[in-house]
Amino acid sequence: KINMVNATILAQQALAQLEGVKAELDTFYLFWAATLVFQMQMGFAMLSAGAVRRKNTANILLKGLADASIGALLWYLVGYGFAFDADAANPKSGHTGNAFIGSGPTNFALAGLSLHNGIAHQEESKYGGDWVHWFFNYAFAAAAATIVSGAVAERCTITAYMVYASVLISFIYPVVVHWVWDPQGFLSTGNESGSRWLCGMIDFAGSGVVHMTGGAAALVSSAILGPRRGRFDESGKAAAGFSGHSMALTVLGTFLLWIGWYGFNQGSTLVLIGQSQTAARVGVTTTLAAAAAAMGGLFIKRLLPIHLGGAVGPVWDLAHTCNSLLGGLVAITANCSTTEAWAAVLIGLMAAWVYHGASCAMRRLQVDDPLDAVAVHGACGAFGLLMVGFFTPEQYTYAGDSEYGVLYGGSGILLAAQLSGLLIILLWVLTCSMLLFVPLKLLGVFRVPEAIELAGLDVSKHGGAAYEDAAPEPTLPAPVATSAA
């Protein structure tokens, strides 16, 4: 009997150790994914630097560094608490939470974790799961803010940048996160409290939550700020001389972002144990969508006539190919875990058309977006959300009531949830962005003075050019005043 008791105790200890190893492996997996997502800041930095003119390189790089730094502090203080309500999941806390915004005390400044007490999740705290969850979601928040900086590049003040980045990371973005990814959110598929809208909205890794949110804010900011001086001629056509100064940096940034996207998408399983097949499949769908979008964009720009946005020449357009690839990655982000491989290829090809159409529309509307952030992130993000409603088979869905895509015989409720969720998020972000950017313009702190813009922000605001050995870049002449007639 003693031997049996000892054997039972040893077995229980071994099982406990095995569970601990599994938990620590999951923590390491999410830390690895979060690190990949965070290194996307390098990708954004290189892409942005390559897409602006040489005289504004240091300025856009500083904003990238500030995104990561401001984002970390504000996500720690308030953003994470607004996004995820850890206390609502703990019956002992007495906190019920709500469907709009996080309000429990645990995640504000990590107050509930600072003493390793793990108020909501004691086992997760023991193995670092709740700590690494903060880090993973911080990397997402920083990415959302960086999207906007590309749209207002070359003419936005540092003061205005710090204001909008702070508001976006600490409030606008966390509210959307809470709606979709927190079990209390009314758009969350995991909401079982009765406040869920339809079957909930599937957005596995953030086509809408991260990219469309950033893209919508970018649209409002670039429209209110106005185009770079001389960007459009008197007839409304895009003027020459505004191309990025380094295709090498653009391509480097694209590859860094592509690599980081594997942390973005695969890491959104949040754990490896029990989800390894899903994570592996996500790697395949992510790769296929990116590749299909890149090749689709390459031939779209080459073969279309000039009046439909085709290249002059025609030529094989490298910049357009890079942005098409990124558009494919954005589009597959919502449905990378819920779509089949063949559908990922199709979604990538369609995303290339969505990017091209949105980019052309922005130029027709004379909304100046140096990095095409609105087309890549906003338009392709919205497209990705909608594709969930079409291309989700029953065996892959995790929507409420097991709703699935209409192309597989679904009822259409999932598609309705995706569309309505998309519109709700857009209404929130566009409204908040208007309330943010209009006052900045009225106060005169949004845009740099004309002389500084023409000279370049590097020499005017950052103590010198990014390339000290480079010849001065030609600047556009100041516009000549004309009569209203």
Side-chain angles (χ1 to χ4, degrees):
K1 290 183 179 180
I2 294 176
N3 288 337
M4 290 180 63
V5 171
N6 289 338
T8 301
I9 293 174
L10 289 173
Q12 291 174 343
Q13 291 176 342
L15 287 174
Q17 290 177 346
L18 180 60
E19 289 302 315
V21 170
K22 289 180 179 179
E24 289 176 333
L25 181 59
D26 284 337
T27 296
F28 176 78
Y29 170 74
L30 195 57
F31 185 81
W32 162 82
T35 303
L36 281 183
V37 177
F38 182 70
Q39 74 85 38
M40 290 175 76
Q41 292 295 322
M42 287 193 292
F44 280 123
M46 295 300 97
L47 185 74
S48 300
V52 300
R53 289 169 291 178
R54 187 174 62 235
K55 63 185 180 180
N56 297 309
T57 306
N59 179 264
I60 198 70
L61 290 175
L62 176 61
K63 290 175 180 176
L65 283 171
D67 273 328
S69 303
I70 293 173
L73 295 173
L74 291 176
W75 190 249
Y76 162 70
L77 291 172
V78 293
Y80 190 53
F82 285 144
F84 296 100
D85 198 335
D87 299 274
N90 180 17
K92 296 180 181 180
S93 69
H95 176 75
T96 57
N98 67 80
F100 180 76
I101 192 169
S103 55
T106 292
N107 285 339
F108 288 98
L110 299 180
L113 307 181
S114 60
L115 297 177
H116 303 274
N117 55 9
I119 290 174
H121 309 287
Q122 292 184 4
E123 288 302 312
E124 286 190 17
S125 183
K126 180 179 179 181
Y127 296 108
D130 44 11
W131 294 94
V132 78
H133 188 262
W134 178 92
F135 179 41
F136 183 69
N137 282 280
Y138 148 65
F140 275 54
T146 304
I147 292 169
V148 183
S149 67
V152 295
E154 300 198 297
R155 72 262 199 216
C156 177
T157 67
I158 290 290
T159 299
Y161 156 76
M162 290 185 177
V163 171
Y164 80 68
S166 298
V167 175
L168 185 66
I169 293 171
S170 64
F171 183 64
I172 298 175
Y173 169 76
V175 169
V176 179
V177 172
H178 184 78
W179 293 351
V180 182
W181 288 340
D182 189 276
Q184 300 296 314
F186 70 93
L187 293 177
S188 172
T189 58
N191 186 333
E192 299 179 354
S193 66
S195 62
R196 185 183 68 208
W197 173 251
L198 298 177
C199 62
M201 186 178 77
I202 290 178
D203 188 4
F204 185 72
S207 287
V209 174
V210 179
H211 296 282
M212 190 180 72
T213 294
L219 174 61
V220 175
S221 63
S222 55
I224 292 176
L225 185 59
R228 290 167 288 178
R229 300 186 189 280
R231 179 67 180 94
F232 300 101
D233 60 26
E234 294 181 356
S235 65
K237 294 182 179 180
F242 286 85
S243 299
H245 81 281
S246 175
M247 283 309 307
L249 290 178
T250 297
V251 173
L252 175 61
T254 301
F255 270 117
L256 287 171
L257 287 170
W258 191 352
I259 292 169
W261 234 283
Y262 294 114
F264 214 94
N265 288 2
Q266 287 174 270
S268 291
T269 61
L270 301 182
V271 296
L272 181 63
I273 305 300
Q275 293 292 328
S276 58
Q277 186 188 66
T278 299
R281 180 162 44 82
V282 165
V284 174
T285 56
T286 300
T287 301
L288 292 176
M295 296 311 298
L298 179 66
F299 283 97
I300 287 170
K301 193 69 172 178
R302 166 84 179 182
L303 299 178
L304 281 183
I306 296 175
H307 70 277
L308 292 179
V312 179
V315 297
W316 302 102
D317 194 302
L318 180 55
H320 190 276
T321 303
C322 287
N323 279 339
S324 298
L325 187 154
L326 295 175
L329 287 168
V330 169
I332 200 62
T333 296
N335 47 67
C336 54
S337 70
T338 62
T339 194
E340 297 184 88
W342 66 267
V345 174
L346 188 57
I347 289 170
L349 288 172
M350 291 190 291
W353 283 101
V354 171
Y355 160 69
H356 179 78
S359 179
C360 291
M362 290 285 285
R363 289 192 295 274
R364 292 285 178 89
L365 295 171
Q366 297 186 40
V367 179
D368 187 16
D369 181 358
L371 268 79
D372 260 349
V374 176
V376 171
H377 300 278
C380 291
F383 171 74
L385 282 181
L386 289 177
M387 290 304 98
V388 173
F390 290 96
F391 290 103
T392 299
E394 187 175 7
Q395 66 268 30
Y396 291 156
T397 189
Y398 59 90
D401 303 320
S402 299
E403 292 290 341
Y404 53 98
V406 294
L407 295 182
Y408 292 87
S411 66
I413 292 178
L414 177 59
L415 179 58
Q418 298 298 121
L419 177 59
S420 55
L422 181 158
L423 295 175
I424 291 168
I425 293 172
L426 280 180
L427 180 62
W428 166 256
V429 178
L430 292 175
T431 301
C432 290
S433 297
M434 289 287 291
L435 295 174
L436 172 62
F437 291 111
V438 169
L440 288 175
K441 182 172 183 177
L442 294 177
L443 291 172
V445 297
F446 198 4
R447 186 167 189 143
V448 298
E450 179 178 355
I452 291 177
E453 182 179 343
L454 294 175
L457 302 183
D458 289 0
V459 296
S460 303
K461 294 293 184 179
H462 303 292
Y467 305 100
E468 292 294 344
D469 58 341
E473 183 175 343
T475 58
L476 294 170
V480 178
T482 58
S483 66

